[in-house]
Amino acid sequence: MSAPTIAIALERGRNGFTGLRLMLALAVVVSHAFSVATGAAGDEPLARLTGYTLGEHAVNGFFAVSGFLVTMSCDRRGIRDYALARTLRILPGLVAATLVVSLGLGAMLTRLPVAEYLRDPALWTFIRGTLTTFKSNAALPGVFESNPYRAPLGTVWTLKYEVLCYLGVLVAALCGLLRRRWSALLIVAGLALALSIVAGLRGPDLSKGTETALRLPLIFAAGAALYLWRARLRISGAALACLAFGAFILARTPAYPALLFLAEAYGAVWLAVGPMARRLFDPPADLSYGIYLYGWPIQQSLHVLWPQASGLALLIPALGLTLPVATLSWYGIERPALALKARALGRRRLGTIEPAGP
């Protein structure tokens, strides 16, 4: 029996996108446990094995899922509804997290008197920079000064690439490219070729920033292409195994990163709509965005309180605090924003497939 197409798998109703995003968000927190106390992300076993940390692999999965679902959202909603949906899914949670971390957590942990902290221009520069440019390496005055990383919202940098990809989908829709499926394949091929060429020319000297600027759009575009070609492409474990084996064989060549990322993009969609989808936990609340936003500042705070403990020793307490905070974010901020979106778009029910940025 041949594997079903992605389109047929989607029509079956049940999917594992929410459960998959939850696992990816938790993987980011686990990954940060290796570096939050030492500042050395390369100490992580998976980084030595694959060249990328567990957190980077998780972000790859986020972007693949986002490319697939966001393109579907634009295709089904239309441009105006798409723009409103994306804004209401990303912005309220980010604004809340920025204010909670800067005005709440920062005020509690700063070495400065609270009044002086609130008057410090760096505080308001941090808030403005986070909300306008998704700046993630800025510090709050007197906060986390002895930590290897001073950034209190160290994960929001990916939202910059996420929003740029959203704009890319919007431009593609305006130009009619979502109806021209070959354009998606050309974009994926162009980005994969560019990454391979740059990796070949720069080798070990390739900067992480340059690679990321190609990596995340490539994976997002691959997810978009999987949606646009859903009627032709199949959810096949054999195809996934071939991609993974190809990446393994070419591990020491410039083609390795691009092939690895394409395998991960296909693998993320395979997990969400393939035979594993029924086995994935399908939570009623989508806590992934809240976990992604608050996991890092909570881990940073625990390291301040117990500086002698390793990040791994603080992992369970970090998860124990992050999950309730993410739950509050979902029910207090994100879900009401989705309800507002549903009313604005004239719908009574919320869709079950609503991606948030990584």
Side-chain angles (χ1 to χ4, degrees), residues 1-2 55 75 93 100 116 213 254 259 288 294 331 351:
M1 182 177 178
S2 61
D75 182 47
V100 166
E116 182 180 341
L259 190 55
S288 59
Y294 291 101
Y331 286 106

Side-chain angles (χ1 to χ4, degrees), residues 32 87 96 127-128 150 159 183 209 221 233 246 290 315:
H32 288 159
T87 301
I127 294 174
R128 184 173 60 252
R150 287 203 59 194
L159 295 180
S183 62
L233 297 178
L315 176 59

Side-chain angles (χ1 to χ4, degrees), residues 54-321:
L54 175 62
E56 288 174 317
H57 288 296
V59 169
N60 291 348
F62 267 123
F63 269 76
V65 168
S66 185
F68 187 95
L69 295 181
V70 167
T71 303
M72 179 169 66
S73 173
C74 188
D75 182 47
R76 294 182 176 182
R77 294 181 187 277
I79 293 171
R80 181 185 65 87
D81 288 1
Y82 165 79
L84 180 62
R86 293 298 89 226
T87 301
L88 289 177
R89 185 62 185 101
I90 293 294
L91 194 57
L94 175 63
V95 171
T98 302
L99 296 179
V100 166
V101 169
S102 59
L103 300 180
L105 187 65
M108 288 190 294
L109 295 179
T110 183
R111 61 170 177 77
L112 304 176
V114 173
E116 182 180 341
Y117 173 79
L118 294 176
R119 288 195 304 267
D120 197 308
L123 167 63
W124 306 104
T125 298
F126 171 86
I127 294 174
R128 184 173 60 252
T130 301
L131 296 179
T132 57
T133 62
F134 309 108
K135 191 173 183 180
S136 63
N137 60 353
L140 287 170
V143 179
F144 302 146
E145 290 182 325
S146 60
N147 285 11
Y149 299 107
R150 287 203 59 194
L153 281 171
T155 58
V156 300
W157 65 270
T158 61
L159 295 180
K160 171 179 64 179
Y161 292 99
E162 184 86 4
V163 170
L164 288 174
C165 289
Y166 291 172
L167 292 175
V169 172
L170 182 62
V171 170
L174 289 171
C175 296
L177 296 181
L178 296 186
R179 296 289 181 265
R180 299 168 184 168
R181 295 176 301 171
W182 284 104
S183 62
L185 296 184
L186 290 175
I187 292 172
V188 171
L191 289 170
L193 181 61
L195 179 58
S196 298
I197 291 174
V198 171
L201 292 175
R202 300 300 299 275
D205 297 326
L206 177 62
S207 70
K208 183 62 71 172
T210 300
E211 183 192 62
T212 300
L214 292 170
R215 169 172 66 100
L216 298 183
L218 167 60
I219 297 169
F220 187 96
L226 287 169
Y227 169 74
L228 293 175
W229 285 85
R230 64 194 180 281
R232 297 286 188 89
L233 297 178
R234 298 185 178 275
I235 291 295
S236 168
L240 177 59
C242 288
L243 286 170
F245 182 71
F248 174 77
I249 292 297
L250 299 176
R252 298 185 181 276
T253 72
Y256 168 70
L259 190 55
L260 174 67
F261 302 151
L262 292 176
E264 290 183 322
Y266 184 84
V269 175
W270 182 85
L271 281 172
V273 301
M276 290 295 294
R278 300 182 178 223
R279 301 180 187 179
L280 282 175
F281 173 58
D282 187 22
D286 186 358
L287 305 184
S288 59
Y289 193 32
I291 292 171
Y292 192 78
L293 288 173
Y294 291 101
W296 177 260
I298 286 173
Q299 287 177 295
Q300 286 276 73
S301 301
L302 290 175
H303 182 61
V304 166
L305 297 174
W306 291 282
Q308 302 305 318
S310 68
L312 284 175
L314 296 175
L315 176 59
I316 298 302
L319 290 173
L321 290 171

